Amino acid sequence: MRRAIYLSKLGRENDGGSFGAVIVKDGEIISEGFNKVKSLTDCTQHAELLVIQAACRRLKSTTLKECILYTSCEPCMMCLGASYWAKFQKIYYGASALQAKEYGFVYSTMFYASDKGARHKEFNLEQLLANEAVLVWQ
């Protein structure tokens, strides 16, 4: 998780966006990166999507069912959709969507209206190091 948070700092410093993600398989980092929405002027270049794509290429697989995703912030609906298809074992996230909203990173109304408990159960989401993740935005 600390690596994902570190990558979010790199993203902020490199005009990519302050979100980072890491995919791990059997204790080894398979892919890592940060948001590139700003630098590529493409709203779909979220850290999670970039690392999912890289991991699939590296593993030559359309799923990542033996992998764990660490992301500096709770995944948005787009990233959750990609995570569904990736079939991660587990997803750990730093800052919550509500914490992100406090810093101007606003998700869709539908996301906030959805059942958090059901979402966390379906995607096997668990929060870690929230306070450290939020510091990147301060």
Side-chain angles (χ1 to χ4, degrees):
M1 178 55 69
R2 286 197 171 96
R3 181 72 181 163
I5 293 168
Y6 170 75
L7 289 163
S8 71
K9 292 175 191 175
L10 282 183
R12 183 192 65 217
E13 293 166 3
N14 291 289
D15 200 32
S18 51
F19 298 87
V22 177
I23 294 177
V24 174
K25 180 180 179 186
D26 299 326
E28 178 189 349
I29 293 177
I30 301 301
S31 64
E32 64 180 16
F34 53 79
N35 185 304
K36 293 188 178 178
V37 168
K38 291 178 182 180
S39 60
L40 296 178
T41 58
D42 180 343
C43 62
T44 67
Q45 299 302 300
H46 289 198
E48 296 92 337
L49 292 184
L50 294 170
V51 298
I52 288 169
Q53 293 164 357
C56 286
R57 283 191 303 270
R58 179 169 176 190
L59 297 175
K60 296 177 177 44
S61 177
T62 58
T63 67
L64 301 169
K65 61 186 174 185
E66 297 174 358
C67 298
I68 297 170
L69 172 65
Y70 294 87
T71 181
S72 64
C73 187
E74 187 173 5
C76 69
M77 289 177 70
M78 177 176 67
C79 295
L80 280 176
S83 296
Y84 175 83
W85 296 111
K87 301 180 181 356
F88 289 112
Q89 277 183 7
K90 182 87 175 170
I91 299 173
Y92 293 101
Y93 68 93
S96 71
L98 288 175
Q99 289 170 311
K101 187 176 185 180
E102 292 173 17
Y103 289 89
F105 303 107
V106 182
Y107 294 23
S108 73
T109 302
M110 185 187 300
F111 181 93
Y112 297 115
S114 69
D115 182 314
K116 178 181 174 182
R119 185 172 67 246
H120 284 212
K121 183 178 179 185
E122 179 175 359
F123 290 94
N124 201 11
L125 289 160
E126 185 177 333
Q127 190 172 29
L128 293 175
L129 305 176
N131 292 335
E132 290 182 38
V134 169
L135 288 176
V136 175
W137 301 326
Q138 296 177 352

